[in-house]
Amino acid sequence: MSAVTRSRPRSNPVHWLGYGLVGIVVLFGVVSFFWTPYALSDMAGGRLEPPSAAHWAGTDRLGRDLFTQLMIGARIALVVGCGAVLIGGVIGIVTGVLAAFATRVADDALAAVFDILIAFPTLLIAMLVVAAREEASLGTAILALGIGLSPIVGRITRILTKRVLSKDYITAARVSGTGWGSIVFWHVLPNIAPFLGVNLALQFGLAVMAEASLSYLGLGAPPPNASWGRMLQEAQGTVYTAPWGALLPGLALFALVIGINLLADGLRDRFDPQRRDG
Amino acid sequence: MALLTVETLTLATADTVLVEDLSFTIAPGERFGLIGESGSGKSLTSLAVTGLLPRAITPSGRIVLDGTEVIGASERALGALRGRAVATVFQEPLTALDPLMPLGRQIAGPVRRRLKRTGEASAAAVTAEVRKLTDQVRLPDPERLLGAYPHEVSGGQRQRVAIAMALACRPKLLIADEPTTALDVTTQAEIVTLLLDLVRDEGIALLFISHDLGVVGQVAERVMVMRNGRAVESGPAGQVLTAPRDDYTRSLVAAARRFDDALEGRP
Amino acid sequence: MTLLSVENLGFAYGRDRPVLDDISFTVPQGANVGLVGESGSGKSTLLRLLLGLESPQKGRILFDGAPLQARDRRYMHAYRRRVQAVFQDPYSSLNPAHRVQRIVTEPLRSLKIPGDHRQMAEEAITSVGLDPDTLTRYPHQFSGGQRQRIAIARAIVARPELLLADEAVSALDLSTRVRIVDLFGEIAQKMTMVFVSHDMGVVAALCDRIVVLDRGRIVEAGETAAILRAPQHAYTRSLLSSIPRMPAGQPQDPS
C-alpha cells in the first residue's frame, strides 16, 4: 500500500572487512603455490623460536618455519572449502531439486533422509568415510566433508525450489511450452541462486572448521601437509612455552571463517533486495 | 468538537515523503471515507492515527484523537488510547487473528481488558459480553464458531470476529482498512451492511479506507481522495462521487462508472 | 463455428468433494466468453483444465473438434502454439531474474517458432502499448499495470487463436484496470478469448457471453446482455445485486 521506494543497498564497512579477510587468505594460499619463505619440511631454525625477522611466525618443535606452514595451511583450507562445497553443492542441489519435483511420497521420503543425515554430526560422517577409505588423505577429507554437507544443501534447495515452483511464472512457462528441464535451468536455478549462494558460503566456513577438526583428530591430510588443524594439534603440547604456535593457526582459522560469514552477509544484501519479487 | 483532528500531517522515511500536508477531521458518529489506489498513503494515514507507524517512518504535524495528542505520545498513553478510543479492522482477518487461538478466546481478550478497567471481569460477565458481541455481528452458529480456529471458518466469518473484537473495547472511532477487499462480493455486501448498522446503532465514528468507490459511496457521508500521499479532493460523498472537481477523481469516477454502466447494459 | 467445447467435465483433487461437476459449455470461434464465479466456484480449476495443466476425471474438452490430450507431449506442443494465457498476479507471473525480452520471447523459443524473435517481441510489446525499450529492462522496474501488459505481450507473441485470462485485471488498481480491460477488448477483436473473473462488472464490460459458476456447477449461461437484463438463477441475481454501485444523481444533463 505504501509508496516506499526501495533504497539502494549501501555497502556496509563490515562486509568490506569480510572481503578483506577472505582476500588475504586467498592471497597467501595462491602465493604459497609459487613461493614460501622456506620449504615446508626444511628445519631451518632452532626449536620453538619466537617470531623474528628470519621466521615471521616463529618455528615449531622441529625447527620448521611456521609462516610457511600457515601459508600452506591457507591453501589447504581453501582447497578443502572449495572442494567440499563443490561436492556437497552438486549432490545437494541435484537431490534437492529432484525432491521438490518428486511425487508426494518420494518427496516426503527424501525430506526425511535429509533430516536424518543432518542429525548425524558432519564430523561423524566424515570419520566414517575416512574409515571406509582406510586411509586419511586430503581427498578423503574433502569427499567426506562434501558428503556431510550435501543434506544441508539438499534440504534448503528443496524448500527454495518449492517456493519458486509455486510462482505463476512457472505456470506461465509451462503454458508457453517450456519443458521441465528448461524450467529448472532457466527459471528455478536463477531464482534460488542468490539464496543458495549465501548458504554455500556459510557451508564453506563450516567445511573449513570441520577440516581443522578432522586434522586435529589426525583424520585429515597426513603430514607433511600443514593444515591449520594439524598445526593446532602439534602445538598443543607446547602451548605454554611457545603460545604463538597454537595462537597463529587459531587466529587464521578464525579470520577465514568470520570473513566468509561476513562475505555471505554481503552477498545476501547485494542480491536479495533487487531481485525481490512482490 | 471533532473526535479526530489531523492537521498538516506529513509522514516520511529518511529519503522519501510518503504522505504530505494532510488535514481532515472526523466528528463523533461521522462516517468518513478515505479513497485511494495503491501507494496513495491511505493505509499509512490510518496507522499514524493509531500510533502504529513502523519505526522507519517519522510523522510530523498534529493528530488529536479524543483529546489526546497522538504524535509524540508515550507507548503507554497510546496503548490506553487504543483500548478505549479507537479500534481497527484490517483487510485480511486471517493475518490479523492469532492462528493458534480459538475465536471465542480471541474476542474474550479485549472484553476482559475493558471489564477489568470497570472492575467486574468475572468469567460469567466476560462470557455474557462475548455472546452479546457475537449476536451483534450476527455470527451464525456461535456455539461451534467460537470454539473454531481462524483457518476453519470462512473469510466473512473471520471478518465478523475481527469486527466483534474491535467493538469489544467500545471504541469511539472504528477504522476499517479495506475490510471487504479480500471477500467475495456477496459476503462484502453483508459485511458493509453490518458495519453500517453497528456504527449507526452504537454512535461510533467510522474511518473507512478503500480503493472501491462504490463501497465508499455506500458507507461514507464525507470522503477524501488521496493520490501519491496528498489529498486531491474532499467533500460530501454524494458530491465528490457524482460531480468530482479534480481531474484524478474524475478519472476514478469515470472508471467506476464504466463498469457500473456495463452492468446496466449500457456500452 | 465452435472453437472450444467442454462436455460434462468433472474434476476433484484426491478424494475431496468434486471441484467441478458436469460442466458443459461452448466457445464459438471469435467469441469472448466470461467465466464468472466467486471463491470456491471452481473457475480457476476449470482454467487449469483448459490449459492442459490438469486432466479431467470425467468428460472431455474438444479443441477445434479434437479432444485435448493433456498427457500427449506432441499434442500439447501443437496446442500451446494455439492457446496462451495471462495470469492474475503480474508480480508473480514474470520471472524476476530475466529481462523482458527473454520473458516475452519464451513461447517463441519453447515452441520453436521460426522467425526473428527480437522483431516479433518488439511488435508484441508495442501492440500492448509499451515502448520497445521495455525489452531491455527487468520486471521490477515496472508498475503492476505495465507488468500485466508485458504478460499480455508474452501471451500474444506467438499469435495464438485462443487467449485464456485468469483474473487478469483483479490485482490492478481501478484506473489501471480500465486501461487493461480496454487492451483485452482490443485483443479480443483478433482472437477468441475466455476471461475468468469474479468481477461481474469487468466481465460485463468485456465479454459478449457469460457462464456463471457456483460451487463447481454452471448455474447460468448465455448472452451478456440477456443475463444482465433478466438473470434467471437466484445466485446470479444475488451476485448482481451485491455489487456496490456508484451513487446515482450524476447530472445527466450538465446544462
Side-chain angles (χ1 to χ4, degrees):
Chain A
M1 284 285 111
S2 62
V4 184
T5 51
R6 200 172 292 152
S7 56
R8 292 249 128 202
R10 296 194 187 89
S11 57
N12 183 333
V14 175
H15 299 153
W16 286 106
L17 179 65
Y19 301 137
L21 287 173
V22 174
I24 290 170
V25 175
V26 170
L27 184 73
F28 279 124
V30 170
V31 169
S32 77
F33 279 104
F34 311 105
W35 176 83
T36 49
Y38 297 89
L40 186 57
S41 45
D42 185 1
M43 295 172 207
R47 300 182 60 231
L48 297 174
E49 277 181 29
S52 65
H55 300 283
W56 299 337
T59 58
D60 70 0
R61 281 182 296 143
L62 302 174
R64 292 175 301 192
D65 183 53
L66 279 176
F67 196 81
T68 303
Q69 295 188 32
L70 283 173
M71 284 179 73
I72 305 279
R75 179 210 294 177
I76 291 177
L78 293 171
V79 167
V80 167
C82 291
V85 163
L86 191 70
I87 293 171
V90 169
I91 301 177
I93 291 170
V94 169
T95 48
V97 168
L98 283 177
F101 273 96
T103 58
R104 181 90 162 267
V105 179
D107 176 33
D108 286 350
L110 271 170
V113 170
F114 289 151
D115 286 345
I116 291 169
L117 287 177
I118 288 168
F120 261 71
T122 304
L123 216 52
L124 186 60
I125 296 180
M127 284 163 68
L128 289 174
V129 173
V130 172
R133 295 281 296 264
E134 290 178 359
E135 180 193 24
S137 73
L138 196 59
T140 316
I142 292 173
L143 181 67
L145 294 172
I147 291 172
L149 296 182
S150 61
I152 303 174
V153 178
R155 183 162 74 165
I156 191 159
T157 303
R158 169 177 168 270
I159 293 164
L160 290 171
T161 304
K162 286 200 152 197
R163 208 165 67 187
V164 170
L165 288 180
S166 70
K167 298 277 184 184
D168 280 350
Y169 58 78
I170 300 297
T171 315
R174 290 180 65 191
V175 169
S176 300
T178 308
W180 285 117
S182 302
I183 283 179
V184 169
F185 199 70
W186 292 113
H187 294 292
V188 175
L189 291 181
N191 281 291
I192 68 174
F195 305 96
L196 210 53
V198 172
N199 188 262
L200 289 178
L202 295 173
Q203 300 301 329
F204 186 100
L206 289 177
V208 170
M209 288 286 273
E211 188 277 332
S213 310
L214 277 181
S215 291
Y216 184 84
L217 296 172
L219 294 167
N225 284 317
S227 142
W228 290 339
R230 175 167 297 282
M231 289 174 72
L232 278 169
Q233 184 211 19
E234 289 186 354
Q236 72 178 340
T238 57
V239 72
Y240 294 110
T241 47
W244 55 87
L247 209 56
L248 291 173
L251 276 178
L253 193 58
F254 176 73
L256 179 58
V257 174
I258 286 281
I260 289 284
N261 278 284
L262 294 177
L263 183 135
D265 269 2
L267 288 179
R268 184 170 49 215
D269 278 14
R270 179 162 294 193
F271 290 112
D272 206 12
Q274 280 194 340
R275 291 281 166 85
R276 211 171 44 181
D277 46 323
Chain B
M1 233 317 258
L3 172 66
L4 172 69
T5 307
V6 173
E7 268 177 29
T8 61
L9 176 71
T10 297
L11 304 174
T13 61
D15 46 13
T16 320
V17 175
L18 304 166
V19 168
E20 198 171 4
D21 197 22
L22 199 67
S23 299
F24 63 95
T25 59
I26 299 179
E30 190 184 19
R31 303 189 306 275
F32 187 80
L34 206 51
I35 298 170
E37 299 189 297
S38 53
S40 63
K42 58 189 194 302
S43 293
L44 281 178
T45 304
S46 85
L47 289 177
V49 167
T50 47
L52 288 171
L53 282 174
R55 243 169 231 281
I57 299 176
T58 320
S60 59
R62 263 186 100 203
I63 298 173
V64 183
L65 175 57
D66 195 28
T68 308
E69 290 275 357
V70 175
I71 294 178
S74 68
E75 203 39 55
R76 201 190 163 88
L78 285 174
L81 192 67
R82 290 197 283 264
R84 67 180 162 81
V86 60
T88 309
V89 176
F90 294 98
Q91 173 172 347
E92 180 39 82
L94 196 55
T95 52
L97 295 172
D98 182 342
L100 298 177
M101 197 192 277
L103 296 171
R105 276 178 55 203
Q106 307 211 32
I107 304 176
V111 168
R112 195 173 298 114
R113 279 196 291 281
R114 175 169 61 79
L115 291 181
K116 264 189 189 146
R117 280 202 300 277
T118 51
E120 42 177 343
S122 68
V126 171
T127 311
E129 185 66 22
V130 169
R131 279 314 292 268
K132 214 178 101 197
L133 284 167
T134 51
D135 287 348
Q136 262 189 315
V137 299
R138 295 166 213 157
L139 192 70
D141 194 4
E143 309 290 314
R144 188 175 65 80
L145 290 188
L146 286 180
Y149 290 88
H151 69 269
E152 295 174 324
V153 306
S154 71
Q157 316 299 25
R158 280 197 291 268
Q159 204 55 298
R160 284 175 202 274
V161 169
I163 294 170
M165 288 173 67
L167 291 178
C169 61
R170 301 235 172 109
K172 293 176 186 164
L173 174 67
L174 180 66
I175 298 177
D177 188 354
E178 300 270 9
T180 61
T181 305
L183 304 175
D184 279 334
V185 62
T186 44
T187 318
Q188 162 173 294
E190 293 168 21
I191 297 290
V192 165
T193 315
L194 172 68
L195 273 176
L196 274 179
D197 289 353
L198 286 172
V199 293
R200 271 195 204 120
D201 294 350
E202 306 285 317
I204 303 172
L206 179 66
L207 171 54
F208 192 90
I209 300 170
S210 180
H211 69 284
D212 188 326
L213 275 68
V215 179
V216 177
Q218 286 184 336
V219 171
E221 301 158 305
R222 219 147 51 79
V223 301
M224 183 162 82
V225 182
M226 288 181 71
R227 186 191 196 189
N228 298 335
R230 290 175 157 276
V232 297
E233 183 164 4
S234 62
Q239 186 195 314
V240 173
L241 296 180
T242 56
R245 285 199 212 105
D246 176 79
D247 280 346
Y248 174 68
T249 317
R250 224 174 276 152
S251 76
L252 282 185
V253 168
R257 290 218 181 272
R258 165 96 188 278
F259 296 124
D260 273 13
D261 287 349
L263 287 168
E264 301 306 324
R266 290 191 298 265
Chain C
M1 203 193 111
T2 302
L3 181 64
L4 184 74
S5 147
V6 171
E7 295 177 351
N8 313 102
L9 214 57
F11 183 83
Y13 288 102
R15 284 187 209 132
D16 294 345
R17 192 174 64 82
V19 182
L20 294 172
D21 188 15
D22 199 22
I23 300 284
S24 299
F25 65 94
T26 58
V27 178
Q29 186 102 44
N32 182 353
V33 176
L35 291 179
V36 181
E38 297 187 293
S39 52
S41 64
K43 59 186 190 303
S44 293
T45 305
L46 179 53
L47 197 87
R48 287 183 68 81
L49 292 172
L50 295 181
L51 284 171
L53 299 172
E54 310 274 359
S55 297
Q57 281 120 8
K58 285 183 201 149
R60 58 180 189 162
I61 297 164
L62 295 175
F63 178 73
D64 204 7
L68 187 152
Q69 299 149 40
R71 292 203 180 86
D72 181 332
R73 199 177 278 217
R74 272 181 58 199
Y75 175 86
M76 285 314 290
H77 188 86
Y79 183 71
R80 301 214 181 286
R81 281 190 77 143
R82 305 174 67 183
V83 181
Q84 284 288 314
V86 179
F87 300 91
Q88 170 168 7
D89 181 2
Y91 287 88
S92 165
S93 70
L94 307 179
N95 187 336
H98 289 175
R99 286 183 201 276
V100 173
Q101 153 105 12
R102 176 151 208 111
I103 292 170
V104 171
T105 53
E106 181 166 12
L108 301 176
R109 281 194 314 279
S110 295
L111 298 169
K112 300 188 175 65
I113 293 171
D116 182 350
H117 289 182
R118 167 91 203 175
Q119 196 196 332
M120 289 158 97
E122 265 181 30
E123 275 169 32
I125 212 82
T126 13
S127 74
V128 298
L130 292 173
D131 196 86
D133 175 51
T134 306
L135 292 171
T136 60
R137 295 158 74 185
Y138 286 97
H140 74 258
Q141 298 172 285
F142 297 97
S143 69
Q146 290 168 321
R147 280 165 169 249
Q148 200 59 307
R149 287 178 194 270
I150 294 169
I152 295 169
R154 167 177 59 193
I156 61 173
V157 74
R159 300 183 185 281
E161 293 161 54
L162 174 62
L163 184 67
L164 304 173
D166 186 9
E167 295 279 12
V169 299
S170 305
L172 305 174
D173 274 333
L174 180 60
S175 33
T176 315
R177 194 182 307 162
V178 174
R179 290 195 284 270
I180 302 293
V181 164
D182 285 340
L183 176 59
F184 274 114
E186 276 172 44
I187 290 168
Q189 303 291 317
K190 295 173 216 148
M191 57 188 81
T192 311
M193 187 149 85
V194 173
F195 198 92
V196 173
S197 180
H198 73 283
D199 190 330
M200 198 61 140
V202 167
V203 170
L206 191 57
C207 303
D208 37 46
R209 296 174 62 84
I210 294 183
V211 176
V212 185
L213 285 165
D214 180 34
R215 281 168 287 177
R217 289 177 157 273
I218 292 179
V219 296
E220 189 160 357
E223 300 281 329
T224 304
I227 286 184
L228 293 176
R229 200 182 324 111
Q232 298 300 304
H233 196 277
Y235 177 76
T236 318
R237 282 198 290 274
S238 89
L239 202 58
L240 282 170
S241 66
S242 302
I243 300 167
R245 312 293 174 98
M246 293 290 283
Q250 185 184 31
Q252 297 295 316
D253 186 356
S255 62

